Amino acid sequence: MSFKTQALSLLGSISLALTAHGVAQAADSNKVKVGMMLPYSGTYADLGNNIDQGFQLYIEEQGGTLEGVEIEYVRLDDESNPSKAPENANRLVNRDQVDVMLGTVHSGVALAMAKVANDTDTLLIIPNAGAMAITGPLCSENIFRSSFSNWQPGYGMGVAAAKELGKKTAVTVTWNYAAGDESVQGFTDGFEEHGGKVLENLTVPFPDVEFQALLTQIANIKPDAVYTFFAGGGAVKFVLDYAAAGLKDTIPLYGAGFLTDGTLQGQGEAAEGLYTALHYADDLDVQKDKDFREAYEKRFNRVPDVYSVQGYDAAQILHAGLKEANGDFSNREAMVKGMSESTYDSPRGPLALSKSHNPVHNMYLRKVEDGMNKLQGIAVANLGDPAKGCRL
Ligand code: PHB
């Protein structure tokens, strides 16, 4: 399905969901209302769509209910726009009366959601956004992340760039917001701990895709490698522009794995050979992943990516809470206990949540080969996040 057709069919399902559910009451004890606040438009639209599908797949596999509790959805397009985020999140909690918020992709939007979750004592499961503060100083009993912190894939790639790939110098390029800054911080920590040196940090505003000036700077600096954080539509454009500028064969391009996850169809030949680090790969030798990929392809007629996995695992976290609470969502203590303590059988391989409710998982080194992110090895095993400032 083309990007446009997918977006259109998704819009169809959003309006259907809204009309069908109206403003149903949250008080119904056999239902839990999940407010999906995700980007269904813009550069991160595919990411939001895949999270939504991953979540749905898990719920469907359980027969549409978790411990006898029916799962109802309210969907809201956050447009990856931080300035609209407080109003959007408040609307879900106060007008739509959702029981749990699920979202989002963009760190700036997720920071606003975390504030609303804390102010209104609402459970929040974050299926992507990696803002470190959310499992750092802003960490909270109510807030869980099924994805990663921005630092983690950056750190994994930094270690691999120095150790496995033997690079000594690098330039970083990213969007100028929390996700980019923190991803670059992770890379710098991993790379410099292992003898590398970051020469320069280049940025563009989010979600700009005008990269020519940066590419000229990179060509002039001539580092051993370039590290990037880009995702979604921006990642497709960056990889195409990097190859078209003739840089791909002279200065290897590395990234947090979002650079090549869910994007390979649009990048084609330009992505072949790129190394990235992420908590997922397309050919993991993990039985759960084989089952997951087969079920996902059958259900949605397309291959899953890391975002689909994170959506699926977000649903597993909700399920862990309902198991501990024996299906009684109103038992908050049991919900939080179940959601906090579990280890998960994730398609990504071993997954546990840290005390700050952030994933601890392997950072895999991957290389694009034949249009797939193929596993090269584990860059860092069971990597947690520094979680500085979290007092849970
Ligand atoms: C983020 O804003 O935290 C973010 C967005 C897209 C990604 C990863 C992280 O692929």
Side-chain angles (χ1 to χ4, degrees):
M1 217 192 293
S2 75
F3 177 78
K4 203 167 156 198
T5 336
Q6 257 180 44
L8 283 176
S9 79
L10 196 73
L11 276 179
S13 64
I14 294 167
S15 54
L16 267 182
L18 289 178
T19 336
H21 301 316
V23 283
Q25 283 309 303
D28 185 338
S29 63
N30 284 324
K31 269 189 193 165
V32 164
K33 217 187 216 196
V34 179
M36 311 266 247
M37 181 161 153
L38 291 166
Y40 293 108
S41 62
T43 201
Y44 288 158
D46 272 359
L47 288 59
N49 183 21
N50 292 352
I51 288 167
D52 190 317
Q53 292 183 340
F55 192 92
Q56 276 184 63
L57 178 66
Y58 182 83
I59 304 293
E60 287 172 16
E61 284 177 353
Q62 311 304 311
T65 59
L66 302 178
E67 306 309 301
V69 177
E70 193 186 321
I71 304 300
E72 190 174 304
Y73 303 98
V74 176
R75 293 181 168 88
L76 189 155
D77 179 6
D78 68 35
E79 304 166 43
S80 298
N81 185 340
S83 70
K84 294 186 184 170
E87 194 190 326
N88 281 335
N90 272 309
R91 187 186 325 156
L92 280 180
V93 173
N94 295 321
R95 187 194 73 180
D96 299 329
Q97 304 263 299
V98 303
D99 302 300
V100 184
M101 283 195 284
L102 179 89
T104 186
V105 169
H106 185 288
S107 275
V109 177
L111 282 162
M113 293 179 77
K115 182 162 187 322
V116 172
N118 280 334
D119 290 350
T120 61
D121 201 24
T122 305
L123 287 176
L124 167 64
I125 307 175
I126 301 172
N128 185 71
M132 291 175 79
I134 296 177
T135 49
L138 301 179
C139 75
S140 148
E141 241 197 21
N142 299 343
I143 302 179
F144 300 84
R145 186 146 56 193
S146 66
S147 49
F148 55 87
S149 91
N150 290 316
W151 182 90
Q152 290 174 301
Y155 184 79
M157 191 64 235
V159 171
K163 269 176 65 178
E164 266 79 41
L165 303 165
K167 301 302 175 201
K168 297 270 180 269
T169 61
V171 164
T172 70
V173 191
T174 187
W175 276 315
N176 185 7
Y177 81 104
D181 299 345
E182 294 171 357
S183 183
V184 163
Q185 188 56 54
F187 176 80
T188 306
D189 287 351
F191 193 52
E192 298 199 340
E193 272 168 25
H194 293 87
K197 176 93 193 107
V198 172
L199 303 177
E200 192 121 19
N201 298 310
L202 307 176
T203 60
V204 281
F206 177 85
D208 281 11
V209 291
E210 282 313 316
F211 300 126
Q212 287 313 319
L214 303 179
L215 296 174
T216 307
Q217 274 178 281
I218 291 166
N220 289 337
I221 301 171
K222 298 192 179 57
D224 288 349
V226 167
Y227 174 77
T228 53
F229 166 85
F230 288 111
V236 172
K237 174 85 166 32
F238 189 83
V239 165
L240 291 173
D241 286 4
Y242 198 84
L247 290 171
K248 188 178 163 214
D249 296 330
T250 49
I251 308 175
L253 178 61
Y254 302 152
F258 314 110
L259 186 70
T260 57
D261 228 82
T263 54
L264 290 173
Q265 244 189 330
Q267 291 163 334
E269 193 56 35
E272 286 290 310
L274 299 190
Y275 283 96
T276 60
L278 200 63
H279 43 284
Y280 193 54
D282 291 324
D283 60 345
L284 292 178
D285 192 11
V286 170
Q287 189 55 45
K288 178 78 182 172
D289 190 48
K290 294 181 177 147
D291 299 343
F292 168 75
R293 291 180 80 91
E294 194 185 323
Y296 193 97
E297 283 192 57
K298 196 162 159 215
R299 170 67 177 85
F300 299 111
N301 217 5
R302 46 203 289 274
V303 289
D305 59 15
V306 71
Y307 308 105
S308 322
V309 171
Q310 295 167 178
Y312 189 86
D313 289 341
Q316 296 213 64
I317 293 177
L318 178 61
H319 195 182
L322 284 165
K323 276 185 198 158
E324 179 71 26
N326 289 320
D328 178 8
F329 181 82
S330 68
N331 184 347
R332 173 62 69 89
E333 207 181 315
M335 284 297 301
V336 166
K337 183 163 185 278
M339 294 167 84
S340 306
E341 288 185 0
S342 294
T343 53
Y344 294 93
D345 187 14
S346 170
R348 77 188 80 180
L351 167 66
L353 292 190
S354 68
K355 270 181 81 173
S356 65
H357 301 169
N358 191 66
V360 177
H361 48 194
N362 292 333
M363 280 300 136
Y364 302 109
L365 179 65
R366 310 108 51 86
K367 184 181 185 188
V368 179
E369 284 169 346
D370 302 325
M372 282 174 71
N373 287 294
K374 293 208 178 153
L375 181 67
Q376 307 297 302
I378 296 180
V380 185
N382 295 319
L383 182 65
D385 170 83
K388 284 200 191 99
C390 173
R391 284 188 227 297
L392 278 181

